[in-house]
Amino acid sequence: MTLSKKETTPNYCLEVESALKYGIEEKVMQMFTPLSHATSIGKKMDVRVATLAENFLEVNNTSTDIDIDSLVEKFADSNVPIEPSNFDSYFEYLANNVVSHSVQTSSPKFIGHMTSALPYFVQPLAKLMTAMNQNSVKIETAKALSFYERQALAMMHRLIYQFGDRFYAQHAQNSESTLGILVSGGTTANITALWCARNAFLGPKDGFLGVETEGLTAALDFYGYKGAVIIGSELMHYSFDKAADLLGIGTRGLVKIPANREGRVDISALRQAVAQCRLQNQYIIAIVGIAGTTDSGGVDALSDIAEIAQQNNIHFHVDAAWGGPLIFSKQHGHKLAGIERADSVTIDGHKQLYLPMGIGMLFLRDPHLAKAIEKQASYTMRKGSFDLGKRALEGSRPGMALFLHAGLNLIGSQGYEFLIDEGIRKTQYMADRIRSMPEFELLAEPDTNLLIYRYIPEPLRGLVAKKQLTEIDNLLINEFNENLQKNQRQTGHTFISRTTKIISEFDKKIPVIALRAVIANPLTTEDDIDIVLNEQIEIALKLQFQFL
Amino acid sequence: MTLSKKETTPNYCLEVESALKYGIEEKVMQMFTPLSHATSIGKKMDVRVATLAENFLEVNNTSTDIDIDSLVEKFADSNVPIEPSNFDSYFEYLANNVVSHSVQTSSPKFIGHMTSALPYFVQPLAKLMTAMNQNSVKIETAKALSFYERQALAMMHRLIYQFGDRFYAQHAQNSESTLGILVSGGTTANITALWCARNAFLGPKDGFLGVETEGLTAALDFYGYKGAVIIGSELMHYSFDKAADLLGIGTRGLVKIPANREGRVDISALRQAVAQCRLQNQYIIAIVGIAGTTDSGGVDALSDIAEIAQQNNIHFHVDAAWGGPLIFSKQHGHKLAGIERADSVTIDGHKQLYLPMGIGMLFLRDPHLAKAIEKQASYTMRKGSFDLGKRALEGSRPGMALFLHAGLNLIGSQGYEFLIDEGIRKTQYMADRIRSMPEFELLAEPDTNLLIYRYIPEPLRGLVAKKQLTEIDNLLINEFNENLQKNQRQTGHTFISRTTKIISEFDKKIPVIALRAVIANPLTTEDDIDIVLNEQIEIALKLQFQFL
């Protein structure tokens, strides 16, 4: 930021410096005084920020049309201000430069990513969490919160696995058991799942200390495997690439099985891959099932995958980061059938549980599986303690359980059911609209509340209907849709994202650029959906003029 | 939680259900209405939570004396409430069960962990961050915030490396460059550093696709190494155990070099270990230097380690999670000399930058190093874009940059200097007090603002003075100090943590249980320090009575 030049000038004489320093001490100490929120400056900040937040949430557009170059210029200065900046000028700066050019993820017409409006209670809770400043890594810095977190995770575990009262009485608040791990996001949850699976199956045996201690090469050698793989749909989230890379098996060890048009993995191809890996003496760390692909929301046939995993005694992980909350729905929960047979399940709180960013969760069927990754340290996290950091990838972390527990209580299972049902209902509405409009082509029947489609320029519509598009036509349509999406995003009234589907046609794999809608915001109405589609038609007409 | 039994009873008839559902829809939609903060319910929640936070921060104790069994019982129910709970009763529940039994990390007498009071401005900012709900993984969900984050990270980078204006003009806002990665904590930062180091040095070459693609075994094989190691002090944070485990080298691959009494690694032993690993044809992923051990705050001789790393062309990583902010201090910054030669540096925002939990940072000397871990996905994170998630372990994440940028501006470099200097000054005061009191033994001269010491029961003081303690005496003192710390923690008036030092004596390694003070809270006065020590003496006198 550039407040005033004076503040970044380091060449003042020592006398001035010590005079300044006196002021600085006072200023700094004032910031830490617990009563400062009752003082005028604290109150002023509260009101200022509340108004800023309020105004932000009232904006009707999805973003401003500021371009990248202007943003680059705004944030170019890399000097740390020497003196404490004045609150008023900093918040003014924040309002004009950051808040104003942020993305209106809560806009009913921002229907392109898995980020949407949040229930209002998360705002005061965020303040409370920060005021409490608990560190969930250990009991000494998180006392009640450790048990409260375990309770919230047990609730979610119960929704997935539906074990009985006795099971939860035994494990929910038992320091030896880990029903779930709260992490910063789905990526960390997926990595942790595969880490647990790798370490548990290649563990200590007959004097060998296990992969955790002796490393992957030695472990594969000891157990007599040629290599290690993870098997799942080609639509697996890119966090699995990260996991394969991190865990030392390499992304080549990620065996990707084709998915059909609706985004569901080909079960017989999956079965074949498992057999082939076994034949090649590859150790299969896990089979991954997806409950809601990031790409188009497809849900794999989880029961079929569970069957294969069980028959072969392989860890079955379900990435339900997006689709997990379908378990709340009587109408749609059946799509997740088989998830209860998973050894581990990832769910994101900041997606369809409508909680703030930074809440990933991993659930474990076996309450003792996480012991495979347990670590200790003398200054913290002692054996036998309730220190939650013992069995986790992360160390110090905020008390995000506040949001999860509050969400489960303040929204309730019926509240979540309503949110899920509504999202899918409106997605069906959008699919119907797209089918009925000559301008668009629906690219897949939606399983959940993600939808992929594309705009077809007028001269090519006949060919689409007759299924006579050439490869060149497809490339033209791709280019057109990419321009359409960029144009819509830059205009900033409405927002739809885009993705690239790889489709088999003309005897080869060809890329199809798709427009991608995510209908999760409860505030999005059918009218909003119509507005988004109509804006696309409007933009397309302008582009078509250039295109022809 | 157990609100009312009725709410968890699932057996009502369908008619009641649909009637309830109507109510539920309304309740849920109300939570999402952007104007609800202006309505009475929103305002009520704000006031309620503000009061809760205010009351929490005013409590004088460090915690309540509630025991683990009572907490276990409080949070035993694992059923998700069916209907949305009432705000009032939920907040009442929260206040009485969670907030009231949380740890007063901001208490001036809570001087046992790296979690302390925070400046007031973080509270309204937390609210703003949640209201904005940006997802920093990609530009489409974080527009201005992406550049604002890059700016804040560039500021920190500049403090560490002090490259010139031209360097920062070229890299700070260049999508091809990564000066820093904002992560959820120091653990993830350390893991990421070693991940980058491993992938960069075992990268693609002569047709070999590199460790990222082909895995660790193939990479070591291709490059002709027998194995891989990470070398550093025996006091390395336990996140390095996690890293060695995750990255596939195994914790045996973590070569731990002895540290001296002040917690500094033995440089000649380190040099020898490097030579020996080379001799044994072990690939050295990185040498780790510590700037502030978690155990006792010791700072390694970073320049010496830099020299060794440079001579051997090995990645030099500095874990400055705790001690990094010493760079702000003219008086103490010299202790970090050599950090500017590190290839990567970890710093935690939630430690000595006085920001909320969840802000870890990794800084990279080479702006292109992080390309070694780059991943892409078609629905997000495109090549050439400013999407920050391309080069990171994590995916979706909150806009924590708000706190970092605000801290650097609102506290300023002189404000941070004052905080650092004060912490170390008060630690010296405490060390002086301990030295002057016959009841205590100082276990190491503090390098920074961590202090380890122990209580010596009266009958053994003479032996300590004469250095005539037997091994049995030491065990008795250990037991005594463990009880003392637990007793003090449970009483909840003041708090000091404990750790176990391994010391060479009697020709073997013996454990010494130490009391561990962390003086970071700006509100902690010399009087508070005296009170904490006096309470320990009081508790010790009672325990001594049982002990004799």
Side-chain angles (χ1 to χ4, degrees), chain A residues 1 12 24 31 37 54 64 90 103 113 120 134 140 143 148 151 184 198 245 409 414 489, chain B residues 1 12 24 31 37 54 64 90 103 113 120 134 140 143 148 151 198 245 394 409 414 489:
Chain A
M1 69 176 292
Y12 36 76
I24 283 162
M31 290 183 210
H37 49 280
E54 195 170 322
T64 61
Y90 187 72
V103 179
H113 280 303
Y120 179 70
Q134 304 293 287
E140 285 185 348
K143 216 162 173 182
Y148 174 79
Q151 182 181 38
S184 62
R198 188 197 70 179
D245 176 1
N409 279 278
Q414 286 191 340
R489 179 181 68 193
Chain B
M1 69 175 291
Y12 36 75
I24 284 161
M31 290 182 208
H37 49 279
E54 196 171 321
T64 62
Y90 186 72
V103 178
H113 280 303
Y120 179 71
Q134 304 293 287
E140 284 185 348
K143 216 162 172 181
Y148 175 79
Q151 181 182 36
R198 188 197 70 179
D245 177 1
E394 294 163 301
N409 279 278
Q414 286 190 341
R489 180 182 67 193

Side-chain angles (χ1 to χ4, degrees), chain B residues 92-377:
Chain B
E92 178 121 354
Y93 159 84
L94 204 59
N96 296 336
N97 295 277
V98 186
V99 181
S100 61
H101 299 298
S102 285
V103 178
Q104 296 287 340
T105 55
S106 66
S107 161
K109 299 180 195 76
F110 181 89
I111 50 174
H113 280 303
M114 294 172 168
T115 313
S116 97
L118 300 182
Y120 179 71
F121 63 78
V122 299
Q123 286 186 45
L125 280 183
K127 189 177 165 158
L128 179 65
M129 185 183 81
T130 312
M132 288 168 65
N133 198 30
Q134 304 293 287
N135 181 349
S136 303
V137 72
K138 54 181 170 276
I139 205 99
E140 284 185 348
T141 50
K143 216 162 172 181
L145 205 75
S146 303
F147 301 92
Y148 175 79
E149 175 175 317
R150 289 187 71 102
Q151 181 182 36
L153 291 170
M155 286 180 183
M156 291 294 300
H157 189 281
R158 190 165 192 151
L159 282 169
I160 300 167
Y161 292 107
Q162 301 186 31
F163 293 138
D165 285 337
R166 252 179 80 180
F167 177 89
Y168 293 100
Q170 189 185 337
H171 297 291
Q173 299 291 356
N174 180 336
S175 69
E176 294 300 309
S177 307
T178 304
L179 298 184
I181 306 176
L182 201 58
V183 295
S184 61
T187 294
T188 306
N190 284 335
I191 293 170
T192 305
L194 298 169
W195 184 24
C196 287
R198 188 197 70 179
N199 283 18
F201 282 80
L202 298 175
K205 191 180 161 186
D206 302 341
F208 177 72
L209 298 176
V211 61
E212 177 185 4
T213 307
E214 309 213 17
L216 187 59
T217 307
L220 293 174
D221 201 43
F222 174 82
Y223 280 96
Y225 291 107
K226 228 189 85 195
V229 296
I230 295 161
I231 305 180
S233 158
E234 60 182 348
L235 295 177
M236 276 184 288
H237 186 255
Y238 67 98
S239 52
F240 291 96
D241 291 272
K242 293 183 183 178
D245 177 1
L246 263 170
L247 293 170
I249 67 168
T251 52
R252 184 175 274 176
L254 204 56
V255 180
K256 293 184 179 181
I257 310 298
N260 67 11
R261 210 177 171 83
E262 271 64 46
R264 287 178 217 127
V265 71
D266 180 332
I267 293 295
S268 72
L270 180 71
R271 192 177 285 114
Q272 269 171 25
V274 170
Q276 205 176 352
C277 287
R278 297 231 135 172
L279 213 63
Q280 293 170 346
N281 201 25
Q282 294 280 344
Y283 164 62
I284 305 171
I285 293 179
I287 304 180
V288 176
I290 313 176
T293 67
T294 315
D295 209 51
S296 62
V299 179
D300 284 340
L302 302 179
S303 287
D304 294 347
I305 305 179
E307 201 57 38
I308 298 171
Q310 209 166 331
Q311 279 165 2
N312 292 276
N313 191 29
I314 299 167
H315 184 101
F316 174 35
H317 175 66
V318 173
D319 180 2
W322 175 252
L326 263 73
I327 40 176
F328 287 109
S329 167
K330 287 192 249 338
Q331 199 183 339
H332 302 287
H334 67 90
K335 293 172 186 164
L336 300 190
I339 197 171
E340 75 286 353
R341 294 169 69 183
D343 294 295
S344 55
V345 175
T346 290
I347 295 182
D348 264 343
H350 51 248
K351 295 195 167 96
Q352 299 210 75
L353 292 179
Y354 298 90
L355 304 176
M357 282 293 140
I359 309 181
M361 288 169 270
L362 177 68
F363 298 98
L364 303 167
R365 166 175 258 276
D366 172 0
H368 299 128
L369 182 68
K371 289 199 174 186
I373 61 162
E374 183 166 326
K375 304 277 178 291
Q376 261 114 28

